[in-house]
Amino acid sequence: MRIASLGHAVFAAAMIALGMLGLIEGDFASVWQPVPADFPARQPLAYLCAAISLAGGVGLLLRQAEALAARVVLVYLLLWLLLLKAPDVLHAPAIEVSWLGVGEIAVILAGAWVLCAWFSAGGGNRYFAFVAGDKGLRNARLLFGLSLIPLGLAHLAYVNETAAMVPGWLPAHRIFAFATGCSYLAAGAAVLTGIRASLAAALCALQMGGFTLLVWLPHIVAGTRDGFQWSGTLISLALTAGAWVVADSYRKLARPSAAA
């Protein structure tokens, strides 16, 4: 077993947990439900996706399987984005929630891309040259920066919905919603321009982690059996992990070669 960074460990744990939840529920994560109920072989597909997530997460923690697992997870998430999220944008490009779904999965995809770049740095082939090594890291960070824009716009476009999710004991819910939306936009600009990009990525991971702890985790602690709350918590964790891994990519000591 090798842990390249703490973000790497959390990312693998999130993929494992999402896979386990999918196998238990026999369904896709309920906050990522673009698959129609009458889709052919829907339940077997749900089990397959859960198995890929679980196996990919475990493989990310194994030295002999980490490179392959990173590629599998990368392709798996890319297919989710292209086949099940991108069509929403094509059908309703003026509706912000369509872009939000793309942005969320792109954050997780960026984290998987960083891991793929790390683990393929010395052994990638020409088919994966685009995602490996330093070039892969730059591309992953670019994707991450772009993904933060729809997240920020969604907080501003749906400020009432965002404010409703803020815990009751926190004051100024609407201001909180505006502030988090603006912080995503500022972080996206920082990552895309390279100005304080490392700090921006780290603060983004911290903000996403705050959402996981303050908005989603209390439902789990309270003992809920609601699949929506469980999948929402795990997806929020995966978002946090994706941003965390990207933030780790700016630290040279986070490289696997130095963290074995």
Side-chain angles (χ1 to χ4, degrees):
M1 180 178 291
R2 173 168 64 177
I3 305 299
S5 71
L6 188 55
H8 164 215
V10 176
F11 188 96
M15 295 303 297
I16 291 171
L18 280 169
M20 292 177 64
L21 180 64
L23 293 176
I24 292 171
E25 296 287 334
D27 202 352
F28 302 96
S30 50
V31 293
W32 275 357
Q33 275 288 23
V35 183
D38 58 351
F39 190 85
R42 187 183 187 280
Q43 190 169 45
L45 179 61
Y47 279 120
L48 175 61
C49 289
I52 291 173
S53 179
L54 175 59
V58 172
L60 287 173
L61 298 175
L62 303 176
R63 182 185 295 269
Q64 299 301 320
E66 59 192 15
L68 177 59
R71 294 173 183 176
V72 169
V73 171
L74 180 69
V75 172
Y76 167 69
L77 293 172
L78 181 61
L79 288 175
W80 267 91
L81 189 153
L82 295 178
L83 300 180
L84 297 172
K85 290 298 181 181
D88 292 339
V89 174
L90 296 177
H91 293 153
I95 299 179
E96 170 54 33
V97 72
S98 301
W99 291 94
L100 174 61
V102 171
E104 287 179 334
I105 199 166
V107 169
I108 306 173
L109 178 63
W113 199 335
V114 168
L115 295 176
C116 194
W118 277 347
F119 300 141
S120 301
N125 57 46
R126 61 189 179 93
Y127 297 107
F128 284 90
F130 181 73
V131 300
D134 291 337
K135 183 177 181 180
L137 286 181
R138 289 192 298 270
N139 292 330
R141 292 166 184 164
L142 175 62
L143 175 64
F144 178 71
L146 291 172
S147 71
L148 297 178
I149 296 174
L151 267 63
L153 291 177
H155 278 231
L156 301 181
Y158 305 111
V159 63
N160 292 329
E161 291 82 355
T162 304
M165 298 181 70
V166 178
W169 54 270
L170 286 174
H173 289 189
R174 286 177 61 86
I175 293 177
F176 187 88
F178 274 116
T180 53
C182 290
S183 67
Y184 276 137
L185 294 176
V191 172
L192 291 173
T193 60
I195 300 174
R196 309 294 291 180
S198 175
L199 176 62
L203 291 177
C204 245
L206 182 63
Q207 179 168 291
M208 291 176 179
F211 290 145
T212 305
L213 293 175
L214 298 178
V215 175
W216 293 103
L217 192 59
H219 299 287
I220 305 304
V221 174
T224 181
R225 295 185 178 181
D226 187 342
F228 178 86
Q229 299 294 349
W230 272 96
S231 62
T233 301
L234 295 181
I235 288 174
S236 183
L237 178 63
L239 285 165
T240 303
W244 196 339
V245 171
V246 173
D248 284 342
S249 76
Y250 289 96
R251 297 170 52 242
K252 290 184 178 180
L253 291 180
R255 296 271 189 166
S257 59

